[in-house]
Amino acid sequence: MSAEEERYGKHGEPFKHDSSFKGPIQNRSCTDIACCILFIIAILGYIAVGILAWSQGDPRKAIYPTDSRGDFCGQAGTPLENKRKLFYFNIMKCANPVVLLSFQCPTTQLCVEKCPDRFMTLVKALKNDKDFDYYKNFCKETATRSMSLPDIVRDGLCPSMLFPSKSFTRRCFPALGLKGGVVTVGNSTTFIDGNGNEREAKDLVDGVKNATVVMESRQVVMKIFEDYTQSWYWILIGLVIAMLLSLLFIVLMRFLAGVMIWIIIIAVIAVIGYGIFHCYMEYANLKNEPGANVTLQELGFQTDFTIYLQVRQTWLAFVIILAIMEVIIILLLIFLRKRILIAIALIKEASKAIRYMMCSMFYPLFTFLLLAIVVAYWAVTAVFLSTSNEAIYKVVNQSDCVHSGNVCVHANYSTSKMKVDCPDSQCNFAYYGGETVYHKYLIGLQFYNVFLFFWCANFVIALGQMTLAGAFASYYWAFSKPGDIPSFPVFSAMGRSLRYHTGSLAFGSLILAIVQIIRVLLEYLDQKLKGAENKFAKFLLCCLKCCFWCLEKFIKFMNRNAYIMVAVHGKNFCASAISALNLLARNLLRVAVVDKVTDFLLFLGKLLVVGLVGVFAFFFFSGRVKAFENTAPNLHYYWVPILTVVIGSYLIAHGFFSVYNMCVDTLFLCFLEDLERNDGSSERPYLMPDSLLKILNKKNKTRAAE
């Protein structure tokens, strides 16, 4: 047995010449029918879950705050329509802001029109009508000035005191501040409580743990929101520039693919080089600045991120990161310089293919639309499922009570045994839950919602990959271009994919969805074990997360190539995956180098678009260029629009360049199959372009004779 036969034996039989093979097979049959049926049943079940959630859920529970009676604050068409904010009788009973946001604070909660803006005690309010008229806005309807103070307190009709508050997530929080390092409330360091005692404002911080962090976070969120309102149109302009740059590169690559690749390589190196220079100059300029030598560890977390830019260590970290990127890119280019020529030839051929199928450039928009529908359906269903619980009421009391914290029935609590045992107790709304069969399996429905979201999203992406693969494969195997290319190749490929291979698409997406849902469960377990002391469990979980991350990457690679083979040969998913992996294994060196080099070069293209737009955004929004000083908006954090533009530019560039990636991958597999099917003779001529033939030192005898 020869070495070649032995190699082929390990990785399957090579493709044999077939004179009737003209590219994607037209006469094909349905594949993976069982998985197609399973997918349809799963989709019908998903629709049923959505209908059930929409019938049981109430998004108002997520939108509106809920008072102690279970009514929604600010709901249109109700007596509480104008009372949009939630007020807490004794906020110091709340453990922390997370409890407040979870609707589980053990104190009476009341819907009010606005939060209190002054200090006042119930004792003071009962002394005159004017004060009580204001105080009554924060009491239950049955409270009157004629009632005695003990009766009001016993029945829980009014809070014992008011203090200045501000609305956050439509809930009244203490208006805490910092003055000379001392906590203040309403610009005062002390306040008088309901018992006439003077207390320090920091006691409120003890009651509302981390309130100052919430306050700072609120300020940061508001500043970021203001920055977006001031700069949104400039952000849109930046994203339009990114789209135009991406289109420009693709158009230029149609005619100057080789030159453009080298321009991209040189430009990326230059942009990263300038980044290193700029960061080093910032590092050097801060040398004698006071406080600039503080370490990031000493600085800790700061909500004002511009502080980090005043520290030398931040710029040093940027220099090191960019320098490592620069060295890696240069070393890769040096060692892979010969393979880059083959990669450039593939990209040139991809440019020609896209030139004949320009509608393929806009196919990612269709994929994006389908993904938006999937995400929207998942999000809406998740909201309705999470709000389909029933209102749960629990006993809240001022003194000791055996029923404290127990579930109670709000409707008849005044005549219940619990009220008799604990006269000063109340039955207040606590949270949403339930004990019915539906509520017991609610977590399962949420799991099903997440799983079907992954499955459907992967299916949409898979459909795009198989559609583009079928279109580009019809280009490669066309003997006479463009005469032999079928009409409307993209639409024809999508029709074949949906008509014959919905099952194969569902099969590949199902495998990937299973791995992704396992990764989600591992992340959930990781969060649960964060406070655990079991080092072995943490190590094992870390290993599992790493293994499943690698497995997901491999499955994505396998699926992508399997879809190409399904699009070309019309076989089922497993047979196509095995055929693709065997073909790649028989050409392992070319796969490891040529295919990945093309991915790397196209990644550099995306990096260049992001880099150019990012540098422009940096100089514009930071005001470093005098020409833009009067044009750029005044911002709290200039990194907000810069980061938005950079992320948006990458997504836009990725959308356009993903077509190139799929085209190159398809042509590469067809190229490998072409090498096995044909030998360049007049009976079996290669269908690859002349540029690839020249690089591989191969030629067609028919062409040579001509």
Side-chain angles (χ1 to χ4, degrees):
M1 182 182 294
S2 64
E4 185 175 359
E5 289 175 342
E6 185 178 352
R7 177 167 64 90
Y8 285 153
K10 290 180 180 179
H11 304 295
E13 291 294 325
F15 285 96
K16 296 180 179 179
H17 177 71
D18 183 0
S19 57
S20 63
F21 181 73
K22 304 294 182 183
I25 297 172
Q26 301 298 322
N27 186 19
R28 56 179 72 198
S29 58
C30 296
T31 57
D32 298 300
I33 298 174
C35 201
C36 178
I37 295 173
L38 178 63
F39 183 63
I40 293 173
I41 293 173
I43 292 294
L44 293 175
Y46 198 20
I47 295 173
V49 169
I51 294 173
L52 181 63
W54 299 337
S55 64
Q56 298 291 327
D58 189 352
R60 295 176 302 175
K61 298 172 185 176
I63 299 172
Y64 302 109
T66 309
D67 67 8
S68 295
R69 293 181 298 186
D71 296 328
F72 301 119
C73 301
Q75 182 184 353
T78 67
L80 301 178
E81 181 176 1
N82 296 323
K83 298 182 177 182
R84 300 173 56 83
K85 297 176 174 59
L86 190 68
F87 171 73
Y88 298 88
F89 271 30
N90 187 356
I91 201 165
M92 288 188 290
K93 285 193 172 184
C94 307
N96 53 55
V98 175
V99 170
L100 298 180
L101 296 175
S102 301
F103 313 105
Q104 297 183 36
C105 188
T107 186
T108 302
Q109 301 160 39
L110 193 71
C111 296
V112 296
E113 291 187 18
K114 58 181 180 179
C115 297
D117 57 5
R118 67 193 74 169
F119 283 112
M120 189 177 292
T121 63
L122 180 59
V123 175
K124 180 184 177 183
L126 290 171
K127 291 181 179 180
N128 62 76
D129 292 335
K130 184 178 179 181
D131 286 342
F132 189 78
D133 287 342
Y134 176 79
Y135 206 93
K136 195 175 186 303
N137 293 319
F138 307 98
C139 296
K140 294 182 179 179
E141 296 87 346
T142 54
T144 62
R145 191 178 171 223
S146 60
M147 299 176 68
S148 66
L149 177 64
D151 289 339
I152 294 176
V153 173
R154 183 195 64 208
D155 296 336
L157 301 179
C158 292
S160 59
M161 62 180 176
L162 302 178
F163 42 82
S165 303
K166 290 184 179 180
S167 176
F168 177 56
T169 65
R170 294 174 62 176
R171 292 161 178 81
C172 295
F173 279 71
L176 297 175
L178 291 174
K179 188 176 183 180
V182 180
V183 177
T184 63
V185 56
N187 294 321
S188 177
T189 58
T190 61
F191 65 95
I192 305 298
D193 65 13
N195 299 319
N197 301 319
E198 185 178 53
R199 302 181 63 174
E200 295 183 356
K202 68 178 183 180
D203 292 341
L204 290 172
V205 180
D206 296 333
V208 188
K209 193 181 295 183
N210 298 326
T212 53
V213 175
V214 171
M215 179 185 65
E216 291 177 357
S217 301
R218 177 185 64 204
Q219 291 173 349
V220 170
V221 171
M222 291 304 298
K223 287 179 179 179
I224 290 175
F225 179 76
E226 290 174 6
D227 287 345
Y228 275 124
T229 60
Q230 293 291 325
S231 61
W232 65 268
Y233 47 92
W234 294 110
I235 292 174
L236 287 179
I237 291 173
L239 297 179
V240 170
I241 292 173
M243 184 180 69
L244 294 176
L245 273 178
S246 300
L247 282 172
L248 177 63
F249 275 111
I250 288 170
V251 170
L252 290 176
M253 286 177 70
R254 285 177 54 188
F255 307 101
L256 304 168
V259 175
M260 286 301 301
I261 291 299
W262 289 112
I263 290 175
I264 288 174
I265 292 171
I266 295 170
V268 168
I269 293 174
V271 168
I272 296 177
Y274 174 78
I276 295 172
F277 169 76
H278 179 81
C279 293
Y280 177 78
M281 293 304 297
E282 293 286 347
Y283 172 78
N285 291 335
L286 290 172
K287 183 176 182 180
N288 298 319
E289 293 292 328
N293 291 317
V294 176
T295 64
L296 294 176
Q297 186 176 4
E298 293 172 341
L299 189 61
F301 175 76
Q302 301 292 328
T303 54
D304 186 358
F305 296 102
T306 56
I307 294 175
Y308 294 108
L309 300 180
Q310 309 302 320
V311 179
R312 297 186 75 203
Q313 199 175 80
T314 301
W315 294 105
L316 179 61
F318 288 158
V319 169
I320 293 172
I321 293 170
L322 291 175
I324 291 173
M325 289 176 60
E326 187 87 325
V327 170
I328 290 174
I329 291 173
I330 292 174
L331 289 177
L332 286 173
L333 292 173
I334 291 173
F335 288 107
L336 302 177
R337 59 188 184 278
K338 291 182 179 179
R339 298 293 176 178
I340 288 176
L341 297 175
I342 300 178
I344 289 174
L346 277 173
I347 292 175
K348 283 182 178 179
E349 197 65 16
S351 301
K352 293 178 183 177
I354 292 173
R355 181 175 61 187
Y356 293 124
M357 308 173 190
M358 282 304 294
C359 61
S360 64
M361 292 303 306
F362 301 98
Y363 188 86
L365 296 177
F366 178 69
T367 300
F368 175 79
L369 176 63
L370 292 180
L371 283 176
I373 294 172
V374 171
V375 171
Y377 186 88
W378 163 77
V380 171
T381 304
V383 169
F384 274 88
L385 281 174
S386 61
T387 58
S388 60
N389 289 313
E390 299 172 344
I392 300 298
Y393 297 85
K394 289 192 175 183
V395 176
V396 176
N397 58 291
Q398 301 294 330
S399 58
D400 292 335
C401 175
V402 293
H403 304 296
S404 178
N406 292 346
V407 176
C408 55
V409 180
H410 183 266
N412 59 355
Y413 185 73
S414 59
T415 59
S416 67
K417 185 178 183 300
M418 290 181 176
K419 183 68 174 178
V420 175
D421 294 340
C422 307
D424 63 342
S425 65
Q426 298 180 57
C427 184
N428 288 350
F429 167 79
Y431 57 89
Y432 290 104
E435 297 297 329
T436 65
V437 175
Y438 171 76
H439 294 105
K440 287 180 179 179
Y441 290 99
L442 197 57
I443 186 66
L445 295 177
Q446 284 282 25
F447 179 84
Y448 186 78
N449 183 36
V450 174
F451 179 72
L452 261 293
F453 164 71
F454 282 129
W455 196 357
C456 292
N458 291 329
F459 181 88
V460 170
I461 295 172
L463 175 62
Q465 292 175 344
M466 188 178 290
T467 297
L468 292 175
F472 294 132
S474 65
Y475 163 83
Y476 185 94
W477 294 108
F479 188 80
S480 176
K481 301 177 179 65
D484 292 342
I485 300 176
S487 303
F488 307 108
V490 175
F491 295 105
S492 299
M494 185 169 66
R496 288 195 302 270
S497 301
L498 289 173
R499 181 179 177 184
Y500 297 108
H501 306 302
T502 299
S504 298
L505 293 170
F507 194 4
S509 339
L510 174 62
I511 297 172
L512 186 56
I514 291 172
V515 174
Q516 289 172 334
I517 202 69
I518 291 174
R519 289 194 64 201
V520 169
L521 292 175
L522 290 175
E523 289 293 339
Y524 174 77
L525 289 175
D526 188 32
Q527 293 296 322
K528 288 292 185 182
L529 291 175
K530 275 195 179 295
E533 298 296 330
N534 193 329
K535 301 295 183 182
F536 176 76
K538 290 183 177 180
F539 172 75
L540 181 61
L541 190 61
C542 183
C543 291
L544 287 173
K545 288 169 63 177
C546 180
C547 290
F548 276 94
W549 180 84
C550 295
L551 180 60
E552 182 182 356
K553 294 297 180 184
F554 171 75
I555 289 175
K556 285 182 176 179
F557 172 78
M558 179 190 71
N559 285 3
R560 189 181 181 91
N561 289 283
Y563 296 144
I564 295 173
M565 300 304 282
V566 171
V568 176
H569 299 285
K571 296 180 180 179
N572 62 54
F573 178 82
C574 291
S576 298
I578 293 171
S579 178
L581 293 177
N582 283 335
L583 178 60
L584 294 172
R586 293 195 295 268
N587 299 272
L588 198 56
L589 183 60
R590 288 193 178 103
V591 173
V593 179
V594 178
D595 190 38
K596 294 308 159 191
V597 167
T598 55
D599 290 343
F600 174 67
L601 293 177
L602 292 174
F603 172 75
L604 290 184
K606 289 185 274 189
L607 204 61
L608 180 58
V609 171
V610 173
L612 291 174
V613 177
V615 168
F616 174 78
F618 173 77
F619 283 113
F620 179 80
F621 289 111
S622 65
R624 301 294 179 93
V625 179
K626 292 184 178 180
F628 298 143
E629 282 182 345
N630 298 326
T631 307
N634 294 320
L635 304 171
H636 299 288
Y637 307 118
Y638 65 79
W639 54 264
V640 171
I642 294 174
L643 193 61
T644 305
V645 168
V646 167
I647 294 174
S649 299
Y650 179 81
L651 293 175
I652 290 171
H654 178 73
F656 283 102
F657 279 86
S658 65
V659 178
Y660 255 95
N661 273 323
M662 197 65 212
C663 185
V664 168
D665 287 349
T666 303
L667 296 181
F668 184 65
L669 270 186
C670 293
F671 157 70
L672 296 179
E673 187 175 337
D674 191 12
L675 286 175
E676 292 186 355
R677 283 186 180 275
N678 304 307
D679 58 8
S681 63
S682 57
E683 295 81 13
R684 298 164 58 185
Y686 293 117
L687 295 179
M688 69 184 72
D690 293 334
S691 55
L692 274 175
L693 287 172
K694 185 177 180 181
I695 294 172
L696 296 172
N697 292 321
K698 295 181 181 294
K699 59 183 179 179
N700 283 323
K701 294 179 180 178
T702 52
R703 296 181 189 177
E706 292 174 0

